[in-house]
Amino acid sequence: MSWFMMSRSFQRLAMASVLAGASLVLAIGPAQAGNKPATPSKPAKTVPVRLLSLNDFHGNLEPPTGSSGRMVDETGATVDAGGAAYAATHLKQLSDKNTLKVAQGDLIGASPLISAAYHDEPSVEFLGKVGVTASAVGNHEFDEGYAELKRIMNGGCHPVDGCSPAGKWKGADFSYLGANVIFKRPARGAEKQALEALGGSNSSLLLSLLKGYGIPALPPVAIRWMNGVPVGFIGLVTQTTPNIVTSEGIKDLEFIDEVKAANVASKLLQIVGVKAQVVLVHEGDQVTAGQSPDACSAQPGAGNRIATQVDAEVDMILSGHSHQAYLCTVADPKGGTRLYSQGGSFGRVITKVDFQVDVKTRDVVRSSVVADNQVVTRTVTPDPEIATFVQTWKDRVATVANRPIGRITADITNTAVASGESPLGNLIADGQLAATKTGGNAQIALMNPGGVRASLTYAGSPAGEGDGVVTYGEAFTVQPFNNLMQVVTLTGAQLKTVLEQQFVGGPNAQAFTKILQPSSNFTYTYSASAPWGSKVSEMKIDGVAVTDTQTIRVAANNFLVGGGDAFLAFKDGTDLWSGPLDIDAFAAYFAANPSITPPVPNHITVVP
C-alpha cells in the first residue's frame, strides 16, 4: 500500500468516526494516561477487548516434531504442543465476541515442505481461516524477496512455478504491516500524493513526519474497530533483516530503526483519533531456559529496547523473532507501565491479552491489562475443518515428500562440536562443493550454520521408508530455504577476512560467533583469545597452504554470497556463477553416494 492509499484509508476512518459521533484528534497533543484511575463518583465507561496473538509460525501446519514440538507449560511440565488443527481449537475456545487475532511475523519462511512447496500459500490461507486480522512482517517474510511478499499479500500465481493445486492465489485475508520498511528510492510524487490525500490543516504535520521518515513499502498500521472503539496496530520488523535475508530480494528497501518508525506510526494514529495502540514487532529477547511461559524471564536486549523506548502513547508490545515465551511489564518513556510479551514459536503458544478501553478517551485502561500465554496442547480435539485442510495439503505434497533420496548409516546431527562445526554441516558443504565443481569450478564450500535447521536421524520420520532411509521431505526439513548455490572468486586474504567475520568484535558487529561449516577438503586453525583480525591461520585446501594472493573459487548459497549473517567480505567476490538450488545439491549428493556415513567434524582446529 502506498502512502497515498494509506492516507485515503485514514480519510475513510475519519468519516466513519464522524458518523459514529466521535471526536477526532487532528493534531498531536500530550499523550493520554492509559492507566489513569476513574473518579469514585463518576466511573469511566469502558468496553472490553481481547487479543489473541501468534508469532513465528513458520508454516508448521502439521504438529512440529522433536524439541520444536514441545513446550514447558505453566506447571513446569514439558508437553507436546503445536499443530494447526490444535491451534484452531484453542483459538476457538479462547475467542469471544470481543476478540481480535493478530501476529508478530515469520508466519511463513523456513517452513516444512507441506507449506514451502507451495510458497507458503497453505499457511497464509490457514491463518486467514482462523481469523488473523493483522500481522507484522518478519524477516522470513522476505526470504523470497519483496515482490513475492507483495504477491502473497495481494494474490496471483507464482511467476515461475505457476498456480498451486488450489488454483489462483487470492491473497492474504489479513494485513501485513511494516512501519520501518521504507523505499530507498520512492516513486516520484509519492510524498505530494500523500499530502494531497490528507489535505487541510494536517498537510504540514504529515510533511514534517515524511521528511524525517520516508515512504513506507508496506502499510505501517492497521485500525480495527471493537465494541465501538478503534484499536490501532503498528507493525515492525527487526532492523537487522538485511543481514539475515538474501540481499537481492530487498535491494530497493531500507529497514530503519524500529523505535523511530513506531513513533511516527503512533503519531499518525493519533492524528485520526486512535488512542488504543498496540505494537506488533518481530524482534525479541532471549530467556532463562525452562521457565513458565507466563514468567518474565526475558533478558533485556533488542526487544526490551523497543518495548521501553517507543512512544508512551503505545499501550503494549507484542513481540516475536527470538522464539521465546515471556510476559513482562516494562516502563514506557513517561513512567507508565505496559505489557511486553512473546509467545514462543511454531504455533505452540497463543498469547491472550484482555483489557478495557475507556469509551470517552478511547484509550486503554492499562491497569486492566491481563495477559496469559496459553500452551497449544494436543490434548484437545483437533479442529475438524483445519484437520481436513492440512490433510489435503499433506496428500498433495506426499509424492514429493516421501520419495527416498538415499541412506545414512547413523544419525547425522546438526549439533556443533567445540570448534563450531557439525557432522551435518560438513555433509551439506561437501554436497555443495560437489554440485558446483562442474560449471562453477568451486574449490571449497562454506555453509552458514543457521541454515542447517534439523538433524537427519537413522530411524527417520513417520513419513520415512524405514531405518536409514532419507526422504526428500526430511532433507527439505534440514534445508528449507530454497537458496541458490553460487560460486565467487576470493583471494586468500579475502577468504581469511570471511573467516574472521565469524567472530564477535569486527567492523560488521557480529552479534555472536557463527562458525561456517566447511567442506571436508578445507582446514584451518583459529585462536579463541587472539584479537579480531588475527584469529585465523593455517588455511589449507586439500592439504596445501593458502597464500594471501592466490585466487580461490568458493561455493556458498546466495544468502552468504550476498553478505548475509554479517559476512560482508563475500560481497568482494568476483566472477559470480550461479548453479542449482541448495536442496537439489543435497539430494544430488545422496544420489551419487547412496549410503552416507556421518562425517567427522575435525576440519577446524582451535587453539587458546
Side-chain angles (χ1 to χ4, degrees):
M1 181 184 291
S2 68
W3 263 99
F4 175 77
M5 294 172 64
M6 184 188 73
S7 298
R8 294 302 296 269
S9 71
F10 284 156
Q11 287 183 315
R12 291 192 294 271
L13 172 69
M15 181 60 69
S17 298
V18 169
L19 292 173
S23 174
L24 291 180
V25 177
L26 297 177
I28 301 173
Q32 296 290 325
N35 53 357
K36 189 175 181 179
T39 59
S41 60
K42 192 176 181 181
K45 182 181 179 183
T46 62
V47 293
V49 177
R50 171 172 290 182
L51 301 181
L52 299 178
S53 78
L54 292 166
N55 60 274
D56 298 273
F57 183 67
H58 287 292
N60 278 267
L61 295 172
E62 295 183 272
T65 60
S67 60
S68 296
R70 295 189 290 270
M71 197 75 201
V72 175
D73 68 11
E74 294 87 343
T75 69
T78 299
V79 299
D80 291 336
Y86 296 106
T89 295
H90 282 274
L91 285 167
K92 282 185 177 179
Q93 292 176 348
L94 293 171
S95 295
D96 61 21
K97 64 181 181 179
N98 310 309
T99 299
L100 294 169
K101 298 166 188 171
V102 295
Q104 293 93 260
D106 275 11
L107 306 181
I108 61 176
S111 304
L113 189 62
I114 185 176
S115 184
Y118 305 106
H119 301 279
D120 281 311
E121 291 174 18
S123 291
V124 177
E125 184 176 357
F126 155 70
L127 293 161
K129 282 180 176 292
V130 296
V132 170
T133 187
S135 175
V137 290
N139 53 284
H140 280 287
E141 266 79 13
F142 295 92
D143 278 351
E144 295 188 53
Y146 174 66
E148 171 63 4
L149 172 58
K150 295 290 284 186
R151 186 189 73 84
I152 288 295
M153 293 168 62
N154 300 325
C157 296
H158 191 273
V160 175
D161 296 335
C163 295
S164 80
K168 183 178 179 180
W169 173 240
K170 61 182 176 60
D173 288 333
F174 56 90
S175 301
Y176 260 130
L177 310 176
N180 64 324
V181 185
I182 65 173
F183 287 115
K184 289 180 180 177
R185 292 170 292 277
R188 183 183 299 274
E191 183 178 292
K192 182 180 178 181
Q193 282 185 319
L195 293 171
E196 290 175 348
L198 247 188
S201 62
N202 294 294
S203 294
S204 59
L205 175 59
L206 181 58
L207 178 60
S208 68
L209 292 173
L210 290 174
K211 282 184 176 178
Y213 177 51
I215 306 299
L218 296 167
V221 300
I223 301 167
R224 301 291 184 260
W225 289 81
M226 177 57 63
N227 293 327
V229 296
V231 180
F233 296 97
I234 301 168
L236 303 168
V237 61
T238 173
Q239 65 177 315
T240 66
T241 296
N243 294 333
I244 49 180
V245 303
T246 303
S247 59
E248 180 64 22
I250 58 169
K251 62 183 179 182
D252 296 324
L253 305 179
E254 182 179 354
F255 295 77
I256 67 173
D257 179 76
E258 303 95 342
V259 173
K260 175 183 177 181
N263 290 348
V264 172
S266 175
K267 288 179 173 61
L268 288 170
L269 290 172
Q270 292 176 56
I271 289 172
V272 293
V274 179
K275 305 299 291 296
Q277 299 184 9
V278 179
V279 161
L280 308 173
V281 56
H282 192 71
E283 181 62 281
D285 293 324
Q286 298 301 318
V287 301
T288 304
Q291 300 294 302
S292 163
D294 292 334
C296 181
S297 55
Q299 301 167 0
N304 182 270
R305 180 188 75 87
I306 298 165
T308 56
Q309 293 183 14
V310 297
D311 196 295
E313 188 65 33
V314 173
D315 297 293
M316 60 193 72
I317 316 291
L318 309 184
S319 71
H321 190 48
S322 59
H323 290 203
Q324 307 299 332
Y326 49 80
L327 296 176
C328 295
T329 299
V330 298
D332 69 27
K334 291 191 174 182
T337 59
R338 60 187 173 199
L339 172 69
Y340 168 47
S341 69
Q342 189 176 162
S345 61
F346 308 145
R348 294 175 295 166
V349 174
I350 297 166
T351 302
K352 177 171 72 76
V353 186
D354 287 306
F355 56 93
Q356 299 286 321
V357 177
D358 187 300
V359 173
K360 183 177 180 180
T361 67
R362 291 189 168 187
D363 210 349
V364 172
V365 181
R366 293 196 196 173
S367 60
S368 71
V369 176
V370 177
D372 184 17
N373 270 337
Q374 302 260 338
V375 176
V376 177
T377 62
R378 300 179 197 165
T379 56
V380 298
T381 302
D383 182 89
E385 178 189 357
I386 299 302
T388 299
F389 174 81
V390 172
Q391 186 61 49
T392 297
W393 286 102
K394 186 176 179 181
D395 292 343
R396 286 168 173 166
V397 81
T399 302
V400 176
N402 295 336
R403 175 171 59 87
I405 63 170
R407 287 182 175 273
I408 55 178
T409 62
D411 290 353
I412 306 181
T413 73
N414 62 346
T415 303
V417 297
S419 66
E421 57 183 322
S422 71
L424 188 51
N426 292 154
L427 175 62
I428 290 171
D430 285 344
Q432 293 178 345
L433 177 59
T436 53
K437 280 185 175 180
T438 301
N441 300 314
Q443 295 169 266
I444 65 170
L446 297 170
M447 174 63 186
N448 56 306
V452 187
R453 305 295 284 192
S455 297
L456 288 176
T457 59
Y458 182 77
S461 71
E465 298 295 329
D467 286 350
V469 171
V470 177
T471 65
Y472 184 86
E474 291 166 339
F476 191 90
T477 299
V478 170
Q479 285 194 102
F481 295 104
N482 275 321
N483 284 322
L484 195 66
M485 288 311 306
Q486 296 185 317
V487 182
V488 292
T489 297
L490 297 174
T491 66
Q494 289 170 331
L495 176 58
K496 182 179 183 299
T497 300
V498 166
L499 298 180
E500 291 285 341
Q501 288 174 344
Q502 298 174 122
F503 304 100
V504 176
N508 299 337
Q510 190 72 270
F512 52 88
T513 297
K514 297 177 183 176
I515 298 299
L516 296 171
Q517 307 296 290
S519 53
S520 298
N521 67 329
F522 179 55
T523 61
Y524 67 93
T525 297
Y526 73 78
S527 168
S529 61
W532 195 94
S534 301
K535 288 182 173 294
V536 175
S537 62
E538 300 181 31
M539 296 187 299
K540 295 180 180 179
I541 299 174
D542 295 318
V544 179
V546 173
T547 67
D548 285 348
T549 57
Q550 78 178 88
T551 57
I552 305 156
R553 295 289 285 167
V554 181
N557 58 48
N558 61 314
F559 168 69
L560 280 176
V561 171
D565 271 350
F567 289 99
L568 297 189
F570 262 114
K571 298 176 75 172
D572 296 328
T574 58
D575 301 321
L576 175 69
W577 176 87
S578 295
L581 293 175
D582 53 4
I583 181 62
D584 292 340
F586 198 37
Y589 194 69
F590 272 98
N593 301 273
S595 182
I596 293 178
T597 299
V600 179
N602 61 356
H603 309 99
I604 302 172
T605 300
V606 183
V607 297

